[in-house]
Amino acid sequence: TVVIPSGALDETLTISVTATAGDVLAYEFGPHGTQFRKPIRLVQRLDLTTWAAIGRPGRMEAGYFSTPDAVNQEDGEVMVDSFLPVIVDAELQTARFKVKHFSGYMLSTGRRVVQE
């Protein structure tokens, strides 16, 4: 679910949300690069995912990725540009977080630092 508060946009906008193929819970939001005057809220239902199998589901974060090729469905990893805090509601089985622009976002349950 995408929740856009009043005043976040200057004009009417048709948005798109495209799930990446595979098991990684990642989405491309468009138009890519759209900036918001107020943060918008993204809400992900978790009841049809494997989030309950995670040992610490409250430690979930949102990851921002700038290009679709950052998502590697083969190993379930995403090269994330930055992380955002997530609020997990176990009763409603949702995760929500705020963003200031459209790009790629995913839910993360663990980090691995890669040295280049």
Side-chain angles (χ1 to χ4, degrees):
T1 303
V2 178
V3 181
I4 301 176
S6 178
L9 290 168
D10 293 326
E11 59 191 357
T12 301
L13 180 70
T14 300
I15 64 170
S16 64
V17 180
T18 306
T20 60
D23 293 336
V24 175
L25 199 54
Y27 300 91
E28 287 284 335
F29 293 85
H32 184 85
T34 299
Q35 300 284 324
F36 300 99
R37 291 194 333 223
K38 297 178 182 178
I40 67 166
R41 187 173 63 224
L42 304 179
V43 182
Q44 170 68 53
R45 284 182 50 188
L46 299 173
D47 55 324
L48 300 176
T49 71
T50 60
W51 78 280
I54 301 164
R56 298 175 306 215
R59 299 203 57 163
M60 193 176 293
E61 308 178 89
Y64 153 72
F65 58 94
S66 54
T67 62
D69 62 343
V71 179
N72 183 338
Q73 291 290 349
E74 289 182 26
D75 62 14
E77 294 185 354
V78 180
M79 295 298 292
V80 172
D81 295 292
S82 62
F83 287 94
L84 303 165
V86 170
I87 296 172
V88 175
D89 186 320
E91 184 176 329
L92 294 177
Q93 296 187 34
T94 60
R96 65 183 188 270
F97 58 100
K98 293 183 178 182
V99 301
K100 296 180 182 175
H101 63 87
F102 272 162
S103 187
Y105 293 96
M106 52 82 66
L107 292 176
S108 171
T109 56
R111 295 188 195 194
R112 183 172 62 90
V113 178
V114 177
Q115 300 293 328
E116 294 194 30

